[in-house]
Amino acid sequence: LDDPGLDIAAGEEFLQEVFQILLEEGVRKSTDVTQKVCDWKEPQELRELLDLELRNEGEGQERLLQRCRDVLRLSVRTGHPRFFNQLFSGLDHHALAGRFLTETLNTSPYTYEVAPVLVLMEEQVLAKLRELVGWSSGDGIFAPGGSMSNMLAMNVARFQRFPESRSKGNWDLPRLAVFASQESHYSILKGAALLGIGTDNVHLVRTDERGKMIPEELEKEIQRVKAEGSEPLFVCATSGTTVLGSFDQLDAIADVCARHGLWLHVDAAWGGSALLSPQLRHLLAGIHRSDSVTWNPHKLLMVGLQCSAFLLRDSSGLLQRCHGVGATYLFQRDKFYDVSLDTGDKSPQCGRRADGLKLWVLWKAVGTRGLARRVERAFAATRYLLEQVKRREGFQLVMEPEFLNLCFWFIPPSLRGQDSSPEFWDKLGKVAPAIKEKMIRRGSMMVGYQPHGSRVNFFRQVITNPAVTRQDLDFFLDEIQELGWDL
């Protein structure tokens, strides 16, 4: 015990080598359009290449460095300009620097004493996000993803209406009812299961042809549930649905919630960043009337996974009262500083990532206007691609996009001119999966597809990466056409 149990000099030398690998393989190659999006391997081949077995003895530095290279080389390059597969893509160097800082500090922003800088940063970032929503005060916390932010909203709404639920559970509560649209995120169902509300008590409200919740249908559903003896509690509206990118009519839904005294939550995990743009914030008109909001900067703003803000209009300490238990080994009341800065008890978590730091670094680097331009550029790129899809033979829109979700079918020559028979749609539904397999095996790009209601599989192309150029978008359509031509 007289000497350190770590070889610090060797460790620093190893880190210097790893940083070079990160810069070359993880940053330069991952954002280089001439590189593959992925070097696809079947699972068994990948297991053998990686040699995943954990042994009794450690390995030498050169072998470990090669393993670091392999991890980056054999993973999907989500920073690539032709990765369109998820609602997150691209690599921002400033945000990545913030992620390095977060990992290096290795602390939790639950108390000011162990994370003074990070606690104050989180406070500032959350205040700025609330300001963009339209609230002059309020509360909030960073959560591990949008799903958890939505679940926090449900839990806080239940506590606000039934404070005894915290101590007594659901035993003495009426049968609660939750409302969301048919296009809402699956986390609402998961949250109802996790919180003991029950998935049977989640009522999915009809949407119109564009995927927006119909406020009149919400009103009818609330009335029906009341007549059946249930207690309506919570309405989740969506600003930017996952598949179609639809924005619910928040003002009209807020009117319904006000009439019935219901908590209005807005899941703006995807669409919230439109609030940064004066040109696009109208999509979320009425969001200031909500009680809570989920907003994921790790999506459109390219902050990096994960960064999800749960925002609350209430400023009375509702989050603290709902979740706090005041563990005396962590949240002592007789500390020598302002203990209101010990915010960890607002969250169901104890250890928590400092997800606000990378957003703060990015915001400092480009400013609010720079973030707005990023959103507007993505919108302009989607408009360009939309016009190209309309011009090209064999491409058919699912619907005109409201935001950044461009949904379309590619119809191979062999299917063109056929009537829209069940056989036609059955064959068309196999086209997108076949094209995707080809592109992934080739490593040329990556894009998502899915069925939706009665619609068979179609592509959903989403642009969030500001590195994407017109040439990348033209290549995207050319590649789909080439890969699907002989299907």
Side-chain angles (χ1 to χ4, degrees):
L1 296 179
D2 292 332
D3 297 307
L6 294 172
D7 188 336
I8 295 174
E12 289 184 0
E13 180 184 346
F14 176 70
L15 280 178
Q16 287 178 352
E17 295 289 342
V18 169
F19 287 142
Q20 289 303 311
I21 294 170
L22 284 171
L23 187 59
E24 182 60 30
E25 292 283 346
V27 177
R28 289 176 185 153
K29 288 186 179 179
S30 288
T31 57
D32 183 351
V33 75
T34 67
Q35 299 288 318
K36 288 185 176 183
V37 173
C38 69
D39 184 4
W40 178 259
K41 307 292 179 189
E42 295 298 329
Q44 188 53 41
E45 181 185 5
L46 190 57
R47 289 188 185 99
E48 292 170 1
L49 284 170
L50 293 173
D51 181 20
L52 296 170
E53 184 182 348
L54 301 172
R55 300 181 176 87
N56 289 334
E57 301 299 327
E59 297 179 338
Q61 179 165 309
E62 286 307 312
R63 190 74 186 92
L64 287 173
L65 291 173
Q66 184 56 48
R67 293 198 183 283
C68 291
R69 291 187 189 94
D70 290 343
V71 167
L72 293 168
R73 179 175 60 86
L74 296 170
S75 293
V76 176
R77 290 171 167 152
T78 63
H80 197 285
R82 292 173 184 172
F83 175 84
F84 304 106
N85 207 65
Q86 259 69 45
L87 299 183
F88 62 86
S89 68
L91 186 151
D92 182 275
H93 299 83
H94 297 104
L96 182 59
R99 292 154 76 183
F100 288 155
L101 290 170
T102 300
E103 294 302 315
T104 304
L105 290 170
N106 188 39
T107 191
S108 173
Y110 48 24
T111 65
Y112 182 81
E113 65 184 279
V114 297
V117 174
L118 303 179
V119 165
L120 296 182
M121 280 183 178
E122 180 171 280
E123 180 183 65
Q124 178 60 38
V125 171
L126 291 170
K128 192 66 178 178
L129 294 176
R130 288 195 303 269
E131 177 187 320
L132 288 163
V133 168
W135 300 332
S136 59
S137 61
D139 204 347
I141 202 83
F142 280 98
S147 291
M148 290 305 302
S149 290
N150 288 340
M151 294 179 200
L152 286 178
M154 296 173 71
N155 197 40
V156 170
R158 181 176 59 181
F159 173 78
Q160 191 269 342
R161 176 82 72 83
F162 301 103
E164 66 274 18
S165 65
R166 173 187 158 96
S167 56
K168 297 180 180 178
N170 290 332
W171 299 106
D172 292 333
L173 301 185
R175 182 172 183 171
L176 302 178
V178 169
F179 304 86
S181 85
Q182 294 171 334
E183 298 291 320
S184 62
H185 193 258
Y186 65 79
S187 58
I188 302 303
L189 288 165
K190 284 194 172 188
L194 181 68
L195 296 172
I197 293 171
T199 57
D200 287 350
N201 298 309
V202 176
H203 303 275
L204 299 180
V205 180
R206 279 183 51 210
T207 56
D208 62 19
E209 68 282 356
R210 296 200 53 80
K212 299 171 181 284
M213 182 193 291
I214 302 171
E216 294 78 11
E217 292 298 320
L218 173 62
E219 176 71 40
K220 291 178 185 176
E221 195 66 13
I222 292 170
Q223 297 286 7
R224 183 186 68 79
V225 165
K226 281 185 173 181
E228 292 176 353
S230 292
E231 182 78 19
L233 171 73
F234 175 93
V235 173
C236 177
T238 310
S239 290
T241 59
T242 306
V243 176
L244 300 178
S246 304
F247 286 73
D248 288 340
Q249 304 169 63
L250 300 183
D251 266 322
I253 293 170
D255 289 342
V256 175
C257 291
R259 277 197 298 274
H260 294 277
L262 304 184
W263 184 284
L264 174 57
H265 174 68
V266 177
D267 178 2
W270 173 222
S273 294
L275 289 168
L276 288 154
S277 167
Q279 300 173 22
L280 297 171
R281 63 174 293 119
H282 69 274
L283 293 169
L284 298 99
I287 193 171
H288 64 285
R289 299 177 62 189
S290 64
D291 296 289
S292 56
V293 170
T294 291
W295 183 348
N296 285 10
H298 72 232
K299 290 189 166 74
L300 185 49
L301 298 184
M302 275 196 346
V303 177
L305 290 166
Q306 62 201 19
C307 188
S308 177
F310 172 63
L311 306 174
L312 193 64
R313 184 172 58 174
D314 178 272
S315 57
S316 70
L318 190 59
L319 264 179
Q320 178 73 34
R321 298 197 309 277
C322 180
H323 297 128
V325 294
T328 54
Y329 61 85
L330 195 59
F331 304 112
Q332 303 94 335
R333 305 308 298 172
D334 55 357
K335 291 181 178 180
F336 62 92
Y337 59 83
D338 179 3
V339 294
S340 69
L341 294 169
D342 288 355
T343 58
D345 229 9
K346 294 180 181 179
S347 170
Q349 297 171 258
C350 182
R352 191 163 56 86
R353 289 172 57 88
D355 291 327
L357 170 56
K358 54 197 170 187
L359 179 54
W360 183 87
V361 172
L362 172 61
W363 213 316
K364 279 290 190 180
V366 303
T368 306
R369 290 180 181 174
L371 295 177
R373 283 193 295 270
R374 184 166 293 183
V375 177
E376 290 159 4
R377 191 181 193 281
F379 191 77
T382 303
R383 297 293 106 181
Y384 171 80
L385 193 63
L386 170 65
E387 293 307 313
Q388 299 308 306
V389 165
K390 288 179 176 179
R391 292 191 182 118
R392 293 201 181 205
E393 186 180 5
F395 289 83
Q396 181 178 324
L397 282 176
V398 173
M399 66 172 59
E400 287 271 345
E402 184 173 22
F403 192 44
L404 304 180
N405 301 45
L406 186 62
C407 302
F408 64 91
W409 290 283
F410 176 71
I411 305 173
S414 64
L415 294 180
R416 293 175 197 171
Q418 298 184 18
D419 58 13
S420 296
S421 63
E423 183 183 11
F424 166 82
W425 289 109
D426 181 63
K427 289 180 178 178
L428 184 59
K430 297 181 173 74
V431 170
I435 292 176
K436 179 159 185 176
E437 179 180 353
K438 288 184 177 183
M439 75 174 68
I440 289 179
R441 291 190 181 280
R442 181 183 284 190
S444 57
M445 62 185 195
M446 197 176 286
V447 65
Y449 74 84
Q450 66 282 303
H452 182 264
S454 61
R455 301 179 177 104
V456 299
N457 285 320
F458 55 82
F459 289 110
R460 179 196 57 164
Q461 205 270 16
V462 179
I463 302 165
T464 61
N465 186 353
V468 171
T469 64
R470 185 179 286 108
Q471 290 74 27
D472 294 316
L473 300 176
D474 291 339
F475 174 88
F476 171 78
L477 297 179
D478 291 342
E479 185 77 347
I480 286 180
Q481 190 165 307
E482 178 189 335
L483 296 174
W485 190 259
D486 59 355
L487 293 177

